[in-house]
Amino acid sequence: MRAVIQRVTKASCTVDQIITGQIEQGLLVLLGIEEDDTSTDIIWLGQKLTNLRIFSDENGLMNKSVQDVEGNILLISQFTLFAQTKKGNRPSFIRAAKPEKAEPLYTEMAQYLTTYLGKEIQLGIFGGDMKIDLLNDGPVTIIMNTKDKDNY
């Protein structure tokens, strides 16, 4: 699993001109799911996301998590995070999980984050033509990969 995490002051997802999810202060999480991802990846990444100390404390230091600031999460499925661009100019997405594998894991991650955060998280529409609007705070953008835990 790969995630691009952005600290935001606001973010929203729109599909067919309907807002499917929106948050104020919190995290916009773009989530890519690979064929061999499992619930173990969800637990590791979910705990990291909710405990990642990237929000400022009273001294302006990044010492607080999304939980500490009572922030929110907008979770967006993003198979293009597994794009391979080695050959030619057209990306290949062969490493991304097929929808029948990825969608249940996306839903499981949403449920895990809702439980772990203690409140409902916001979502995009899996497989939808989503338009994401955000105001990146900082900017702070972090990339995580559950297959390379030692470096993330």
Side-chain angles (χ1 to χ4, degrees):
M1 241 172 234
R2 286 187 185 157
V4 174
I5 302 120
Q6 296 183 303
R7 185 179 75 183
V8 298
T9 55
K10 66 179 180 176
S12 64
C13 176
T14 303
V15 177
D16 295 328
Q17 301 179 346
I18 298 170
I19 295 174
T20 64
Q22 64 183 357
I23 62 170
E24 294 298 321
Q25 180 185 34
L27 301 174
L28 169 63
V29 179
L30 306 175
L31 182 69
I33 299 170
E34 201 170 12
E35 265 313 311
D36 63 346
D37 287 334
T38 67
S39 295
T40 303
D41 295 293
I42 289 170
I43 294 167
W44 182 85
L45 185 57
Q47 288 178 356
K48 282 293 207 183
L49 290 171
T50 53
N51 291 302
L52 195 61
R53 296 181 351 188
I54 59 172
F55 292 89
S56 298
D57 66 11
E58 53 281 346
N59 298 317
L61 300 173
M62 287 196 282
N63 274 327
K64 293 191 173 190
S65 70
V66 69
Q67 288 180 310
D68 296 333
V69 300
E70 297 180 8
N72 297 292
I73 295 175
L74 174 58
L75 182 66
I76 304 295
S77 62
Q78 181 100 31
F79 76 93
T80 60
L81 291 178
F82 282 101
Q84 291 180 309
T85 57
K86 184 177 179 179
K87 293 182 182 178
N89 294 314
R90 186 177 198 204
S92 168
F93 303 107
I94 197 155
R95 289 184 53 205
K98 302 287 183 266
E100 52 274 6
K101 163 92 182 205
E103 189 170 12
L105 288 174
Y106 171 72
T107 301
E108 187 178 341
M109 175 62 89
Q111 292 167 345
Y112 183 85
L113 290 172
T114 293
T115 300
Y116 207 82
L117 196 59
K119 61 180 164 182
E120 203 66 36
I121 68 159
Q122 298 292 299
L123 301 169
I125 300 293
F126 185 91
D129 183 15
M130 297 175 276
K131 309 299 181 209
I132 309 300
D133 186 34
L134 69 127
L135 183 56
N136 196 318
D137 183 17
V140 174
T141 303
I142 295 173
I143 300 170
M144 294 181 141
N145 185 341
T146 61
K147 302 301 183 272
D148 193 13
K149 294 179 181 118
D150 291 340
N151 291 312
Y152 290 94

